[in-house]
Amino acid sequence: MVKEASEMGSTNSSSKAWHVVYKIIKIWNVMIIEAVPDVHHNTKTLFLLQKKSDVYSVEDLWDKRSRKTDIGDEEEKYKDLKGNKKKKAEDLKKEVELDDHKLSASELEEKYGTSVNKGLSSARAAEILARDGPNSLTPPKATPEIVKFLKQMVGGFSILLWIGAVFSWISFGIQLAQGAESPFDNLYLGVVLALVVILTGIFAYYQEAKSTNIMASFSKMIPQQALVIRDAEKKELPADQLVVGDIVEIKGGDRIPADIRLIFTQGCKVDNSSLTGESEPQSRSCDFTHENPLETRNIAFYSTTCVEGTATGIVINTGDRTVIGRIASLTSGVGNEKTPIAIEIEHFVYLVAGVAISIGVLFFIISVSMRYKILDSIIFLIGIIVANVPEGLLATVTVSLSLTAKRMAKKNCLVKNLEAVETLGSTSIICSDKTGTLTQNRMTVAHLWFDNQIYSADTSEDQTTQPFDQSSPSWTALSKIVTLCNRAEFRPGQENLPIMKRVVVGDASETALLKFAEVILGDVMSIRARNRKVAEIPFNSTNKFQLSIHETDDPNDKRFLLVMKGAPERILERCSTIMINGKEEPLDSEKAEAFQTAYMELGGLGERVLGFCHLYLPEDEFPDTYPFDTDSMNFPTSNLCFVGLLSMIDPPRSTVPDAVSKCRSAGIKVIMVTGDHPITAKAIAKSVGIISATSETVEDIAKRLNIPVEQVNRREATAAVVNGMELKDMSLQQLDEILCNHSEIVFARTSPQQKLIIVEGCQRQGAVVAVTGDGVNDSPALKKADIGIAMGIAGSDAAKNAADMVLLDDNFASIVTGVEEGRLIFDNLKKTIAYTLTKNIAELCPFLIYIIASIPMPIGTITILFIDLGTDIIPSVALAYEKAESDIMNRRPRNKRKDRLVNEQLAVYSYLQIGIMQSVGAFITYFTVYAEQGFLPSTLLGVRVDWENNAINDFEDSYGQQWTKYQRMYLQWTGYTAFFVSITIQQVADLIIRKTRRNSIFQQGLFRNKVIWVGIFSQIGIALILTYGLGHVTALNFTPLRFQYWFVAVPFAILIWVYDEVRKLFIRRYPGSWWDKNMYY
Amino acid sequence: MLRTGERFSNQNVFGFYMCCVAVLQVRVQYWPSQDIAVELNSSNQRKDHQEAHSGQQTSQFAESSTFIKILLFYVIFYGCLAGIFIGTIQVMLLTVSEFEPKYQDRVAPPGLTQIPQVQKTEISFSASDPKSFEPYVKNLEKFLKDYSADQQTESIVFQDCGDIPTDYKERGPYNDAQGQKKVCKFKREWLENCSGINDPTFGYKDGKPCILVKLNRIIGFKPKAPVNESLPPEVMAKYNPYLIPVHCAAKREEDADKIGTVEYYGMGGYAGFALQYYPYYGKLLQPRYLQPLVAVQFTNLTYDMEVRVECRAYGQNIQYSDKDRFQGRFDIKFDIKSS
């Protein structure tokens, strides 16, 4: 690989001349788009301009050529980083060795045992198909459904609950063996616990499957057909039946069905944007033009599209061995990062499990040392575990996330992986692709220059008029040229569509001009019909201009009008006059200078500039019947009248600048990573605000101070434009330095591997990285990113597969929505968890006090499950609907190491403050119920053994009355119910206080979130049903409860509310104080 | 009464503290280790960690003062909570009468229980082996201690209520305005063979075990004598309008012939509870209340097999329940071994 690289290097230095030749062939692209030199080369003269552009394009080509070598090199780095990726590195090395483009057609026929005219025989094709496999990409290995399901069964708290269930069954077994009276309680408890685990597991699995299914629809593609020559016949075959050596024919609009070496082409252009990120269609021919298979013109790549023309070629690679296939396998080699929310939930599960196990074991030891029977101690342990584990919480989290996912889907963010919902909220860096994400991915007229003045055109997506001053006669002339000197046409039958959405037959810039003219002038086709075309010279690479001659629509004017457009400097060469305010004036050096300045300026904006000129042919020399001959050019093509310039760009989407500034204010760094050229990239970056108006790159500073680039203090530059070539030579440290020191970065001309490296670099900074992209070349980075965002319309399937989220409208602004929703759900999950954890203490304390003080059991295990999975579920989901407390888009993204979902403050406040308050309230109810039935609190202490003794049926209460066992049990269940009701009542208060973390509830509005009220009513409703409806079902341990006991805990509920309001008040009053630090979660 | 409540509350608050301290300890043990784990996660974070560490050292004083503040906060916080808890319990106790419970819906209708009290309600012994029935005898002896004549001498407390069943003895309102209430005497001799006076083994050494049957005490509960139709013929024979009769029979039909004769001893020879012992005025007003007893002796039980006997008390307001097997009745197994 290294050898290959050095060989490439030497080729480069020695073949500068060859590149100049190549440049001429590539004239359209190079001259017009790229001829604009780096802005710091302040070229003044035409000659110098061209000279410079040579240099530039050489650099540019080297850059492109070297890209393939990059793959090897970067792959090596990647290998160093990750180890054991050797196989993949070798795969990519093979790609470099591809040499089919150098071979002639006959050599190819020999190599693949095929014939250009007859194709393969069906038998031979079947043989090869059996050897190579079908021509399709191996889908990434999916986790088997059963494994996914089992993962849900053992993930999170499930293990703890399984332990609880197993213990229950063990103690059931022991009790059964000992012949105890009611061993079945434990059997049931075990079954219930197992059911809880299985049901929540099924639920989580279902939720996940549902969100995955949405995506499955994406990958279902209409089976592609290919036109193949086999057995000397043309056949339509499914594309996956193609084999190496097949002769295929493609035409405009087709997707290339495999990697193809072209042997015959006619005006063929392919759109390589998904592979290289170039938004410009690349022309294809049969000629070997470049050493690099990616650069040479005679290879068309799998999954790219043929834009226009036709071609015939030999299939040289199929399926996973195609270039795209290799990138795809690189993608699947990139490990999926754990989502931040998954890390947070894991952290939370560890925390709760830690508390549960510690308390469980602690009290197991205590109860054993208090001479409880081991069996009893085990039952206590189960109780403690069940009380401590928020059984319903993970399901609640899933529901909350999927609610958010649904909400985001409505806003055109489709979330593939539920957890990714939150990831956007934590995102601190967005690496955005340019083409199609930030830009509209279509050429549009952006600026005009006539009458010595630059006019801006509207480049928004839905333009219907153009605002610039159209009164000048020069504009009339210019518009005529734009309209007439244009071969593009609308496809018929689109009259009802907005102009911008109509499909056009023609190349990108002609399309742009046609639409531009249609918007301003109306029906272009009828204008053309009125100005009949009598002769035309289409654009070709030697002329570098396009020319046509028309009759005029003025019946009094019998002159012919000659119109011409092309590369500005070439057009200017042919002009002797220039039109100023409708008057032809001689083109002196001053006017040429003005032209030059305008040209430079527009070029500096990264725009493709076209020059326009015309000439009215004198009527006496060219009468009506004059035979125009385009071959002999029997008409003047010089001394024309220069009319103006039009510049075009793939303009940013109109929503992007606002979205970028919103990201900025949300503390998110937006980095542009594109395969496109630095100038274009920088221009777009500037126009969307990725590089802000005031910031400068090192080069800008050098230009301003007029000093060499090397002398500039790099720290002064806030912005940086990094070329893929520079990036290739950088060490990881240098990259880190760039990422650290510059707040505004554009990476241009980057390869897929470099995108990956950039993402990794950002992740090394501790950032949560979002990557947006649409092309196959983005897919490894999409996969590597913490959250990959693919474009739904423009995105390739590879990108969509690798991504976690799909923007259905391809709109970057949707990301901002995503960020907002992500941050909101993080905040709201905090609230949900705080809410849920609180009552765990109120469930746990009874057990602990039961063990220590030997009072009758205050709350049963089954009852706890009814709280966790019954009354509390809907309220905790309701918190997901809570509105943001403050402008969440104005704060920095959370620090993933410091701002945990469940932090110390949250746990302590929930467990040790609100939780204890709840326990006190619930115990008051418990003691009230017992006291009013005859057991004063003092009597209850230490009674556990006799209380639970089945043989004692004359148990004495505080008044001397005697109770049978069943009467006591019934009272105990009443106690459970009372405790349950108290917790429920206080959870209502808990729910209300959790609506906010800092603001007063009254600031937030009690009634703004209606779902909270649904939650409260459901909570009380379920409690009523359990108490009065199911109060007679013995197995559930609920009994009807006197109505007044519902109100015993109300003062405590109010106390909780008041206390929390006071807490929030102090937090707001004394920010940064000790209180704020310890009480704000 | 109030004082005991207070004492209780203090103990319970102690319980709360235990619980809180436990949670706190867990927290203290848990968090730091978490932090370390998080910090060790990535070597990239080492720099941050070191910075944080040095920061920690310089602000150690601030940290310890923070800790003291937190401690102080929790002392005050839990102090207040404990105060609220104790206060609320006290207020609640104020609303509860000392003399009678607010509600009795869970304790009534009364349970029927037997002495000796046995696990799994099984009386199993061998007449020839005194060791095997010693626990039962002791249990009976202990229970009957309060019923001895010498325990019922104080005339301030005890009242002779006659030898035959009569109507309820109302003793005024349920408060101590008139001091303690008197209680009816219950003569141990009434229990005859099962009184333990003549036979200290209560018939066990002869294989003729005695059990004592009593109705659970419920304050203010006035059992109503049964209506005639519902009674078994044996009970009907000895019907008395002021008596809650007790009758024991085989639990299962097929055991009917294995039970043999059953002797009942009670007040005035009646197999039941006389109504003048009711209503009960509670522990505070009748601390030495003697609940009426019926002794049941099984004189001819079949040996060497389990015999299930069910005893019932009969009354209009005495009910039976499938769920509560001790409500108004109980069943007991006898297994007398011949050797």
Side-chain angles (χ1 to χ4, degrees):
Chain A
M1 200 182 318
V2 176
K3 197 179 144 199
E4 180 77 31
S6 61
E7 187 196 307
M8 283 285 204
S10 63
T11 320
N12 173 56
S13 53
S14 65
S15 61
K16 203 166 175 176
W18 181 82
H19 278 301
V20 177
V21 177
Y22 173 54
K23 194 213 78 184
I24 295 165
I25 303 168
K26 219 185 166 185
I27 197 92
W28 184 252
N29 290 330
V30 174
M31 277 306 293
I32 295 172
I33 332 161
E34 299 166 359
V36 185
D38 290 348
V39 185
H40 55 272
H41 300 305
N42 206 349
T43 332
K44 289 281 176 189
T45 69
L46 192 63
F47 176 74
L48 256 176
L49 178 88
Q50 275 179 293
K51 186 97 177 181
K52 278 291 169 191
S53 74
D54 285 0
V55 175
Y56 177 76
S57 56
V58 169
E59 274 172 6
D60 167 59
L61 287 168
W62 157 236
D63 178 11
K64 278 191 184 177
R65 270 165 39 103
S66 63
R67 200 189 309 159
K68 231 37 260 165
T69 338
D70 285 353
I71 293 181
D73 274 7
E74 307 300 0
E75 198 44 48
E76 189 114 286
K77 274 187 204 163
Y78 185 65
K79 188 176 78 183
D80 291 344
L81 284 172
K82 290 267 169 181
N84 67 18
K85 293 277 172 190
K86 212 169 200 163
K87 190 174 164 276
K88 217 140 267 150
E90 275 166 10
D91 272 3
L92 279 140
K93 196 171 158 191
K94 252 193 244 162
E95 178 190 328
V96 177
E97 284 162 3
L98 184 70
D99 60 353
D100 290 337
H101 53 302
K102 297 176 191 163
L103 305 178
S104 70
S106 53
E107 282 170 318
L108 282 166
E109 279 183 327
E110 192 182 338
K111 179 173 174 186
Y112 293 111
T114 184
S115 144
V116 172
N117 299 323
K118 291 182 187 163
L120 293 173
S121 68
S122 295
R124 173 78 185 134
E127 239 172 71
I128 301 173
L129 188 66
R131 185 192 72 197
D132 291 350
N135 173 34
S136 59
L137 299 183
T138 319
K141 214 182 266 173
T143 327
E145 294 298 304
I146 185 75
V147 173
K148 278 192 202 163
F149 184 68
L150 288 178
K151 255 189 190 163
Q152 298 288 2
M153 290 289 163
V154 295
F157 296 119
S158 305
I159 284 286
L160 275 185
L161 292 179
W162 280 123
I163 293 173
V166 169
F167 276 151
S168 299
W169 287 324
I170 290 174
S171 52
F172 161 70
I174 296 172
Q175 281 176 333
L176 196 67
Q178 286 175 348
E181 292 225 344
S182 54
F184 289 96
D185 284 357
N186 281 318
L187 176 70
Y188 297 149
L189 182 60
V191 171
V192 168
L193 288 180
L195 268 180
V196 165
V197 180
I198 292 169
L199 286 180
T200 49
I202 287 174
F203 178 75
Y205 171 78
Y206 168 73
Q207 283 291 346
E208 208 178 295
K210 219 168 65 178
S211 61
T212 323
N213 279 346
I214 301 172
M215 283 316 295
S217 58
F218 269 112
S219 47
K220 261 182 223 154
M221 282 184 306
I222 307 148
Q224 202 194 332
Q225 297 288 319
L227 194 59
V228 189
I229 300 176
R230 274 196 195 163
D231 306 323
E233 273 175 66
K234 279 190 190 176
K235 287 179 183 170
E236 280 270 322
L237 279 181
D240 61 353
Q241 298 296 314
L242 286 188
V243 295
V244 168
D246 266 335
I247 308 297
V248 291
E249 285 186 12
I250 44 177
K251 58 180 190 306
D254 284 353
R255 241 172 60 125
I256 311 288
D259 281 0
I260 292 169
R261 162 69 160 87
L262 302 174
I263 45 177
F264 167 78
T265 61
Q266 192 171 33
C268 177
K269 277 191 178 177
V270 290
D271 177 5
N272 270 359
S273 63
S274 80
L275 190 62
T276 62
E278 294 159 304
S279 46
E280 198 55 25
Q282 311 286 308
S283 64
R284 293 286 116 163
S285 67
C286 321
D287 309 319
F288 162 55
T289 55
H290 204 289
E291 290 278 330
N292 182 342
L294 264 193
E295 278 303 309
T296 186
R297 295 199 167 196
N298 54 6
I299 293 184
F301 294 101
Y302 178 48
S303 94
T304 60
T305 339
C306 176
V307 184
E308 56 182 83
T310 56
T312 308
I314 302 177
V315 174
I316 52 174
N317 271 318
T318 58
D320 290 334
R321 287 166 304 279
T322 59
V323 171
I324 291 280
R326 285 192 188 141
I327 295 177
S329 58
L330 175 66
T331 306
S332 62
V334 174
N336 239 340
E337 297 287 300
K338 223 177 215 170
T339 60
I341 195 72
I343 295 170
E344 289 307 319
I345 288 174
E346 201 166 82
H347 169 242
F348 159 70
V349 168
Y350 283 150
L351 171 73
V352 171
V355 171
I357 291 171
S358 328
I359 297 183
V361 170
L362 183 73
F363 274 83
F364 184 77
I365 294 166
I366 288 177
S367 48
V368 168
S369 57
M370 282 177 78
R371 292 164 192 277
Y372 281 98
K373 279 184 264 170
I374 295 288
L375 192 64
D376 286 344
S377 305
I378 288 177
I379 293 171
F380 300 159
L381 186 63
I382 300 166
I384 288 170
I385 289 175
V386 172
N388 240 318
V389 171
E391 286 85 6
L393 189 57
L394 293 186
T396 311
V397 169
T398 315
V399 172
S400 301
L401 288 176
S402 64
L403 282 174
T404 306
K406 231 178 233 170
R407 208 152 50 199
M408 286 167 80
K410 265 190 208 147
K411 295 177 184 170
N412 290 320
C413 287
L414 198 62
V415 179
K416 216 168 110 183
N417 172 6
L418 264 193
E419 287 166 349
V421 166
E422 190 278 331
T423 315
L424 259 185
S426 323
T427 297
S428 49
I429 296 182
I430 297 176
C431 292
S432 179
D433 182 40
K434 178 182 76 73
T435 314
T437 312
L438 298 173
T439 68
Q440 301 170 18
N441 200 11
R442 63 154 182 250
M443 279 291 170
T444 307
V445 174
H447 290 97
L448 304 88
W449 179 81
F450 56 87
D451 295 350
N452 270 333
Q453 206 175 337
I454 292 180
Y455 298 88
S456 299
D458 178 9
T459 55
S460 65
E461 287 90 335
D462 49 355
Q463 43 182 282
T464 46
T465 51
Q466 286 290 354
F468 64 89
D469 178 25
Q470 294 159 10
S471 57
S472 165
S474 308
W475 160 246
T476 320
L478 181 58
S479 65
K480 200 154 219 173
I481 310 171
V482 169
T483 316
L484 299 180
C485 187
N486 191 331
R487 284 154 54 91
E489 286 176 18
F490 288 112
R491 286 232 173 111
Q494 303 185 87
E495 286 73 21
N496 298 327
L497 283 174
I499 296 166
M500 285 299 140
K501 296 222 167 96
R502 293 188 200 162
V503 180
V504 175
V505 185
D507 77 14
S509 44
E510 294 221 307
T511 303
L513 293 172
L514 172 63
K515 286 183 175 173
F516 181 70
E518 181 88 8
V519 166
I520 300 176
L521 303 173
D523 195 350
V524 168
M525 302 317 285
S526 69
I527 297 175
R528 284 193 200 161
R530 288 202 301 275
N531 297 273
R532 199 174 61 82
K533 194 190 292 175
V534 289
E536 179 178 48
I537 303 175
F539 178 85
N540 69 53
S541 45
T542 30
N543 288 340
K544 288 155 274 167
F545 63 77
Q546 182 180 351
L547 175 152
S548 57
I549 300 169
H550 300 261
E551 292 169 356
T552 64
D553 52 356
D554 182 355
N556 302 324
D557 191 348
K558 294 287 177 218
R559 292 176 299 174
F560 285 104
L561 174 63
L562 182 151
V563 288
M564 185 193 254
K565 75 165 187 232
E569 64 278 5
R570 294 301 169 97
I571 296 296
L572 196 68
E573 278 172 6
R574 295 173 184 276
C575 294
S576 57
T577 59
I578 182 163
M579 184 177 276
I580 307 285
N581 295 326
K583 302 221 164 49
E584 283 188 28
E585 290 180 17
L587 184 65
D588 52 23
S589 62
E590 191 193 329
K591 297 214 169 59
E593 187 83 356
F595 158 83
Q596 204 51 249
T597 318
Y599 183 19
M600 286 300 300
E601 192 174 337
L602 296 176
L605 294 172
E607 294 174 4
R608 171 202 283 195
V609 189
L610 289 177
F612 294 84
C613 62
H614 72 187
L615 182 70
Y616 282 96
L617 301 177
E619 199 182 347
D620 45 350
E621 274 182 59
F622 301 97
D624 265 356
T625 51
Y626 186 81
F628 289 100
D629 181 4
T630 51
D631 292 327
S632 61
M633 296 236 222
N634 56 355
F635 45 85
T637 55
S638 59
N639 292 330
L640 311 174
C641 171
F642 193 86
V643 180
L645 295 171
L646 252 75
S647 65
M648 283 162 291
I649 197 163
D650 176 11
R653 292 163 181 277
S654 49
T655 49
V656 169
D658 186 42
V660 169
S661 85
K662 273 186 184 156
C663 287
R664 277 279 165 76
S665 63
I668 302 168
K669 195 165 163 180
V670 183
I671 295 178
M672 183 192 280
V673 182
T674 178
D676 214 336
H677 299 273
I679 292 178
T680 323
K682 190 177 166 190
I684 294 292
K686 279 210 150 155
S687 67
V688 299
I690 287 178
I691 295 180
S692 48
T694 51
S695 65
E696 293 175 308
T697 62
V698 174
E699 291 79 13
D700 290 336
I701 295 174
K703 189 181 150 195
R704 179 166 54 85
L705 301 175
N706 221 349
I707 52 172
V709 173
E710 293 72 30
Q711 290 176 14
V712 177
N713 178 5
R714 294 198 162 260
R715 305 249 161 179
E716 266 175 41
T718 47
V721 178
V722 183
N723 199 310
M725 192 180 81
E726 300 167 36
L727 188 59
K728 182 188 146 280
D729 299 328
M730 271 180 203
S731 66
L732 294 178
Q733 283 74 20
Q734 282 171 309
L735 176 63
D736 288 357
E737 219 164 87
I738 286 181
L739 290 171
C740 269
N741 294 338
H742 300 284
S743 58
E744 301 170 341
I745 310 172
V746 170
F747 289 98
R749 301 309 268 162
T750 46
S751 66
Q753 283 72 19
Q754 286 177 331
K755 288 189 179 188
L756 198 60
I757 284 185
I758 292 165
V759 171
E760 280 171 345
C762 294
Q763 284 171 336
R764 270 199 305 280
Q765 315 290 312
V768 175
V769 183
V771 169
T772 66
D774 52 355
V776 176
N777 58 340
D778 298 319
S779 52
L782 285 172
K783 189 86 180 285
K784 178 71 196 170
D786 294 283
I787 175 165
I789 304 166
M791 299 296 125
I793 303 168
S796 59
D797 290 311
K800 283 182 201 162
N801 274 330
D804 303 297
M805 189 181 276
V806 177
L807 297 182
L808 293 179
D809 55 356
D810 286 14
N811 189 346
F812 186 81
S814 308
I815 295 175
V816 178
T817 314
V819 170
E820 200 167 354
E821 292 289 350
R823 289 185 177 188
L824 187 60
I825 195 65
F826 187 82
D827 282 5
N828 286 347
L829 281 182
K830 245 182 181 183
K831 295 171 183 172
T832 301
I833 290 175
Y835 168 78
T836 314
L837 285 188
T838 305
K839 55 126 204 301
N840 277 0
I841 283 298
E843 292 164 354
L844 180 68
C845 278
F847 269 94
L848 308 188
I849 292 173
Y850 164 74
I851 294 170
I852 292 168
S854 284
I855 57 174
M857 183 75 99
I859 190 165
T861 317
I862 303 268
T863 321
I864 289 175
L865 288 176
F866 271 108
I867 298 177
D868 286 2
L869 297 170
T871 57
D872 259 11
I873 290 286
I874 300 175
S876 43
V877 172
L879 282 171
Y881 287 95
E882 201 53 50
K883 299 275 182 303
E885 273 176 74
S886 54
D887 193 355
I888 42 177
M889 290 307 279
N890 272 334
R891 60 179 199 221
R892 300 194 56 74
R894 72 184 180 92
N895 180 327
K896 67 178 174 183
R897 266 172 270 153
K898 284 186 195 141
D899 307 333
R900 310 306 307 254
L901 180 64
V902 178
N903 52 22
E904 188 176 354
Q905 287 87 346
L906 187 150
V908 168
Y909 183 66
S910 300
Y911 274 159
L912 293 187
Q913 297 185 29
I914 301 297
I916 297 290
M917 286 168 94
Q918 267 194 5
S919 311
V920 171
F923 265 106
I924 296 275
T925 316
Y926 164 85
F927 282 126
T928 307
V929 168
Y930 275 80
E932 294 192 339
Q933 289 286 351
F935 290 94
L936 299 181
S938 48
T939 323
L940 290 177
L941 291 181
V943 297
R944 191 191 69 90
V945 177
D946 284 347
W947 181 276
E948 290 175 357
N949 188 337
N950 281 322
I952 299 179
N953 282 294
D954 52 356
F955 187 90
E956 226 174 272
D957 66 13
S958 312
Y959 294 90
Q961 306 186 96
Q962 292 173 320
W963 296 67
T964 65
K965 173 72 198 302
Y966 183 80
Q967 287 166 343
R968 294 197 306 272
M969 279 314 296
Y970 199 77
L971 178 58
Q972 187 174 326
W973 295 337
T974 311
Y976 289 0
T977 314
F979 213 97
F980 162 81
V981 164
S982 301
I983 291 181
T984 309
I985 295 291
Q986 293 178 89
Q987 277 294 83
V988 172
D990 191 24
L991 181 64
I992 291 172
I993 66 167
R994 300 303 183 180
K995 277 165 68 75
T996 59
R997 295 185 293 147
R998 180 184 290 274
N999 288 353
S1000 163
I1001 295 300
F1002 302 104
Q1003 282 171 286
Q1004 180 81 351
L1006 251 180
F1007 301 99
R1008 251 174 71 201
N1009 180 356
K1010 302 280 186 305
V1011 189
I1012 287 281
W1013 288 94
V1014 174
I1016 290 175
F1017 286 124
S1018 78
Q1019 195 165 23
I1020 293 171
I1022 293 173
L1024 282 170
I1025 291 169
L1026 285 174
T1027 313
Y1028 298 110
L1030 303 174
H1032 299 285
V1033 184
T1034 326
L1036 298 182
N1037 300 352
F1038 281 98
T1039 66
L1041 194 67
R1042 282 200 163 73
F1043 204 61
Q1044 71 259 30
Y1045 294 133
W1046 286 72
F1047 301 97
V1048 176
V1050 168
F1052 285 87
I1054 294 168
L1055 182 69
I1056 287 173
W1057 189 349
V1058 171
Y1059 176 70
D1060 194 64
E1061 279 295 317
V1062 171
R1063 175 189 73 96
K1064 288 168 187 165
L1065 180 71
F1066 283 176
I1067 288 172
R1068 293 195 303 274
R1069 270 291 151 77
Y1070 308 107
S1073 65
W1074 169 88
W1075 184 274
D1076 186 17
K1077 274 183 214 145
N1078 286 286
M1079 293 297 204
Y1080 181 68
Y1081 56 86
Chain B
M1 196 62 231
L2 283 177
R3 231 203 243 132
T4 49
E6 225 166 321
R7 197 179 66 228
F8 147 77
S9 304
N10 290 336
Q11 282 174 355
N12 207 310
V13 168
F14 171 74
F16 260 106
Y17 273 123
M18 283 295 289
C19 140
C20 305
V21 166
V23 175
L24 243 165
Q25 278 171 346
V26 167
R27 198 207 107 214
V28 167
Q29 286 164 0
Y30 191 70
W31 279 104
S33 63
Q34 256 301 311
D35 292 347
I36 288 165
V38 170
E39 275 160 4
L40 289 181
N41 261 345
S42 162
S43 54
N44 285 333
Q45 297 167 8
R46 208 176 295 140
K47 213 170 118 190
D48 293 29
H49 182 206
Q50 280 167 351
E51 275 168 18
H53 199 73
S54 62
Q56 263 168 22
Q57 282 172 337
T58 53
S59 64
Q60 213 149 50
F61 173 75
E63 197 130 294
S64 67
S65 90
T66 305
F67 179 74
I68 289 167
K69 270 186 195 164
I70 290 174
L71 201 70
L72 198 68
F73 169 81
Y74 277 101
V75 167
I76 295 169
F77 182 81
Y78 290 136
C80 289
L81 268 188
I84 290 170
F85 181 75
I86 294 166
T88 319
I89 291 281
Q90 293 304 346
V91 169
M92 185 268 290
L93 288 177
L94 286 179
T95 69
V96 172
S97 155
E98 294 172 63
F99 305 105
E100 57 177 339
K102 197 163 182 180
Y103 301 113
Q104 294 178 306
D105 55 328
R106 298 289 188 255
V107 71
L112 191 71
T113 47
Q114 88 290 342
I115 306 291
Q117 225 169 41
V118 283
Q119 289 292 338
K120 295 181 190 172
T121 63
E122 183 178 280
I123 291 180
S124 162
F125 67 98
S126 155
S128 56
D129 177 11
K131 272 254 153 47
S132 67
F133 54 79
E134 196 191 329
Y136 305 127
V137 171
K138 275 199 171 152
N139 196 309
L140 282 163
E141 188 58 51
K142 191 178 154 217
F143 181 80
L144 283 177
K145 218 170 175 185
D146 287 340
Y147 286 80
S148 309
D150 57 335
Q151 293 287 320
Q152 303 178 33
T153 51
E154 292 150 77
S155 59
I156 311 165
V157 180
F158 294 99
Q159 179 189 15
D160 198 337
C161 297
D163 285 355
I164 47 161
T166 54
D167 206 352
Y168 309 115
K169 275 215 167 4
E170 299 282 0
R171 294 170 201 275
Y174 291 85
N175 58 46
D176 58 353
Q178 297 141 9
Q180 289 193 345
K181 313 282 183 191
K182 289 196 169 189
V183 300
C184 284
K185 286 185 179 175
F186 190 92
K187 292 177 184 150
R188 192 167 167 176
E189 299 85 70
W190 287 339
L191 302 178
E192 297 179 35
N193 291 347
C194 293
S195 67
I197 300 170
N198 303 323
D199 176 5
T201 67
F202 299 90
Y204 281 81
K205 70 170 183 345
D206 306 322
K208 297 172 178 173
C210 280
I211 57 167
L212 297 174
V213 180
K214 61 187 172 62
L215 198 61
N216 275 353
R217 292 194 297 253
I218 294 171
I219 293 179
F221 180 73
K222 292 186 228 170
K224 283 188 190 141
V227 229
N228 310 348
E229 296 82 44
S230 59
L231 297 177
E234 301 93 319
V235 180
M236 269 304 291
K238 286 192 167 185
Y239 180 77
N240 181 309
Y242 302 116
L243 189 76
I244 301 296
V246 169
H247 182 72
C248 296
K251 170 101 173 155
R252 292 169 299 204
E253 294 271 317
E254 58 267 33
D255 284 354
D257 54 331
K258 291 168 190 142
I259 288 186
T261 26
V262 183
E263 299 285 350
Y264 300 89
Y265 312 109
M267 180 193 226
Y270 285 100
F273 311 117
L275 294 186
Q276 65 257 48
Y277 289 89
Y278 301 97
Y280 172 51
Y281 271 74
K283 202 155 93 176
L284 222 55
L285 296 174
Q286 291 184 324
R288 299 180 68 183
Y289 174 77
L290 297 170
Q291 56 199 125
L293 304 174
V294 172
V296 183
Q297 186 170 29
F298 299 89
T299 51
N300 198 13
L301 273 172
T302 315
Y303 283 15
D304 294 325
M305 68 180 303
E306 273 188 11
V307 183
R308 284 185 149 242
V309 175
E310 186 186 66
C311 297
R312 278 171 189 252
Y314 295 91
Q316 284 176 50
N317 53 0
I318 291 174
Q319 284 135 29
Y320 318 109
S321 156
D322 290 333
K323 286 175 184 164
D324 186 356
R325 288 184 295 111
F326 288 88
Q327 189 180 301
R329 62 171 172 179
F330 65 84
D331 63 287
I332 190 160
K333 260 187 293 187
F334 285 99
D335 184 8
I336 305 172
K337 294 171 181 85
S338 53
S339 57

